[in-house]
Amino acid sequence: MTQGEEMRLGRLHWALEDSTFASMDFLNEVAERYPNAVSMAAGRPFDGFLSLESVHRRLETYHRYLESVQGLGSDRATRTLLQYGPAGGVINDLIARHLAVDEGIETEGESIVVTVGCQEAMFLVLRALRADERDLVMAVSPTYVGLSGAAKLADIPVLPVPTDETGVSLSHLASQVRQARAEGRTPRALYVMPDFANPSAVSMDLPARRALLRMAEEEDILLLEDNPYGLFHGEKARLPTLKALDRTQRVVYLGSFAKTVVPGARVGYLVADQQVEDDRGGAHPLAFYLSRLKSMLTVNTSPIAQAVVAGCLLESDFSLARANSQERAFYQRNLNHLLAGLRDRLGEFSDEVTWTSPTGGFFVVLTLPFTVDDEDLQVCADKYGVLWTPMSHFHGPDGGENQLRLSCSAISTDMIDIGLDRLRDYILSRLR
Ligand SMILES: Cc1ncc(COP(=O)(O)O)c(C=O)c1O
């Protein structure tokens, strides 16, 4: 039996056939089809850091904290973990302490919403900023696919602002804002990743951060700061986040515990301390309204999962920098190994093949004298046994055609060597 006209794809939300969503499917499917290929595509944390034992221990740590330190007693502590919970989250105060310790961000639990990964945080903010069809969000380009996807679900267009060596081209930002306004549109915010961006791997220095905050002020836009890689900063000292420098509530901070605690918990958060006034003269932080939205999207973030994060925070005196010292060293070693391996194998072709040299994070971008698309990826996986991500996936309709992203987070240095040997063979086959 056919479902009739109403079940045609064209009669459903346009995102169902959008290329961003299809591209994620494609990348996952290629990885599954070539299980023996070395994956330099996946940006996930190293499996060796996943531990069931630490999940159990952290759960217990948080339960004991609720029971004894907070004085809830055993039954209420258990209920906090196992019952439905408040939409905005249960571990907000602990996250606020972590932000003070690790990031120099002074905030309170009530300005925080604990979300199902950073992904939900992005969606909630974008949904809220899209009041009518004139509203748009800007994003550094190339950009994280999760942001582009969330914007599509929230029906808010994304205007790309090019990444330059400072992280974001301020001249383009200013001209985009003015042009959009001249066309009767309303740029609400700019999405940025100031630390080891995914995929560009570019970081902003301190003057660039201050200049961006000044421009956000002048142009009256919000900054959506996404920072999943800041704690993996290699040997160089960390710089303050935009949120730590923010004195005027310009920045909505987006956080993820996927890389710093455990990805399977699916816990992230947002800090939205902007005061939102209602028509009756009252005001609440934006976080208050975003948690209302969340209550109708995911009801609340699993308190069991929040407890795992809270246990990690309690066990490390609220410092995820401390909790991740081993991880940081591992990712740094891998990144150095990847960069040295590229020099060894492709250094003699440096006229034609270049790559970024980030000091931290998970990614390196290669620029090639030929295009690399999804078909090339399949050929490379099949014939050469190595996977990477075509950079075109992180651009709009155009851009990144001759670039690919390598990730070094999920594999060992030995596998990096094998992957790079294969990548070199593939690149040479295309150079000749
Ligand atoms: C830029 C960026 N933001 C956020 C995330 C993580 O999001 P989540 O917490 O939803 O796993 C990632 C992970 O790949 C990322 O690269």
Side-chain angles (χ1 to χ4, degrees):
M1 198 175 78
T2 93
Q3 293 285 315
E5 201 50 27
E6 287 304 294
M7 287 311 290
R8 289 175 62 81
L9 204 46
R11 288 284 304 131
L12 299 172
H13 190 271
W14 56 267
L16 269 64
E17 52 182 339
D18 185 76
S19 60
T20 302
F21 299 82
S23 88
M24 290 315 293
D25 267 0
F26 167 78
L27 293 172
N28 290 332
E29 192 246 312
V30 174
E32 271 169 34
R33 202 155 11 112
Y34 300 100
N36 295 326
V38 176
S39 179
M40 304 185 87
R44 56 172 186 256
F46 185 60
D47 284 347
F49 291 125
L50 308 180
S51 142
L52 202 54
E53 183 259 318
S54 75
V55 168
H56 288 296
R57 195 192 60 240
R58 288 165 178 173
L59 209 53
E60 290 293 337
T61 300
Y62 184 56
H63 189 268
R64 265 198 313 280
Y65 167 81
L66 289 178
E67 195 180 351
S68 313
V69 182
Q70 294 287 303
L72 297 192
S74 178
D75 287 355
R76 273 183 70 198
T78 303
R79 235 181 296 139
T80 305
L81 260 60
L82 301 185
Q83 263 298 0
Y84 285 107
V90 284
I91 62 166
N92 309 39
D93 291 344
L94 305 187
I95 295 176
R97 283 174 77 175
H98 147 62
L99 288 172
V101 169
D102 275 334
E103 307 290 355
I105 295 173
E106 296 301 332
T107 190
E108 294 163 357
E110 68 174 28
S111 298
I112 294 173
V113 182
V114 187
T115 53
V116 179
C118 182
Q119 188 63 29
E120 189 190 23
M122 290 191 281
F123 176 78
L124 293 174
V125 177
L126 294 172
R127 177 72 274 174
L129 291 178
R130 200 274 189 203
D132 65 39
E133 66 289 344
R134 287 167 299 186
D135 295 315
L136 59 86
V137 63
M138 294 172 290
V140 282
S141 175
T143 209
Y144 175 51
V145 283
L147 185 278
S148 321
K152 285 172 180 170
L153 292 182
D155 274 321
I156 185 166
V158 179
L159 206 59
V161 178
T163 294
D164 65 8
E165 63 292 345
T166 70
V168 50
S169 165
L170 291 186
S171 58
H172 280 91
L173 175 61
S175 63
Q176 299 269 46
V177 169
R178 279 168 205 157
Q179 194 184 331
R181 288 200 172 125
E183 291 166 3
R185 309 174 80 195
T186 319
R188 306 296 307 260
L190 170 73
Y191 169 82
V192 272
M193 297 161 277
D195 296 277
F196 316 113
N198 179 10
S200 71
V202 174
S203 293
M204 301 179 73
D205 64 17
L206 194 54
R209 289 170 198 239
R210 292 194 194 284
L212 178 59
L213 278 163
R214 263 198 312 277
M215 182 166 284
E217 194 76 38
E218 282 159 18
E219 300 294 348
D220 194 16
I221 54 167
L222 286 174
L223 297 174
L224 312 182
E225 178 179 29
D226 187 6
N227 184 22
Y229 304 104
L231 290 185
F232 306 112
H233 57 100
E235 281 121 31
K236 268 182 132 179
R238 293 184 64 208
L239 292 174
T241 60
L242 294 173
K243 189 65 188 159
L245 298 168
D246 180 24
R247 296 286 165 266
T248 55
Q249 280 82 42
R250 277 286 143 198
V251 180
V252 174
Y253 187 79
L254 305 168
S256 170
F257 295 113
K259 309 294 178 329
T260 50
V261 182
V262 58
R266 300 301 302 129
V267 183
Y269 61 94
L270 58 86
V271 182
D273 52 5
Q274 294 69 23
Q275 286 296 308
V276 177
E277 290 172 19
D278 62 32
D279 290 341
R280 297 176 300 283
H284 288 291
L286 177 60
F288 168 85
Y289 292 102
L290 296 179
S291 70
R292 275 193 181 168
L293 283 190
K294 176 183 165 66
S295 74
M296 289 296 155
L297 185 66
T298 52
V299 184
N300 59 247
T301 302
S302 157
I304 302 174
Q306 292 185 65
V308 172
V309 171
C312 179
L313 294 174
L314 290 165
E315 287 172 7
S316 60
D317 278 335
F318 303 97
S319 174
L320 290 183
R322 183 179 312 159
N324 279 278
S325 56
Q326 251 191 311
E327 284 83 346
R328 180 178 142 213
F330 174 88
Y331 294 127
Q332 183 60 28
R333 196 168 49 243
N334 275 11
L335 182 62
N336 289 344
H337 198 81
L338 175 62
L339 291 169
L342 284 168
R343 273 194 303 277
D344 289 348
R345 291 167 180 86
L346 295 168
E348 60 186 295
F349 307 103
S350 60
D351 288 353
E352 296 170 282
V353 181
T354 57
W355 54 89
T356 56
S357 295
T359 55
F362 289 7
F363 308 110
V364 169
V365 175
L366 257 70
T367 301
L368 303 159
F370 49 82
T371 60
V372 274
D373 61 16
D374 289 353
E375 252 172 64
D376 298 313
L377 169 62
Q378 292 188 73
V379 170
C380 184
D382 185 30
K383 293 221 171 82
Y384 294 86
V386 60
L387 294 163
W388 31 266
T389 311
M391 281 290 285
S392 51
H393 286 268
F394 305 103
H395 285 267
D398 307 307
E401 291 86 357
N402 63 332
Q403 292 185 313
L404 60 84
R405 188 196 74 178
L406 295 179
S407 170
C408 60
S409 60
I411 53 178
S412 63
T413 47
D414 287 350
M415 293 310 276
I416 290 174
D417 281 332
I418 297 171
L420 285 180
D421 284 343
R422 295 174 179 184
L423 182 68
R424 177 182 194 271
D425 291 346
Y426 171 71
I427 291 175
L428 290 192
S429 77
R430 298 282 310 267
L431 283 179
R432 286 188 190 117

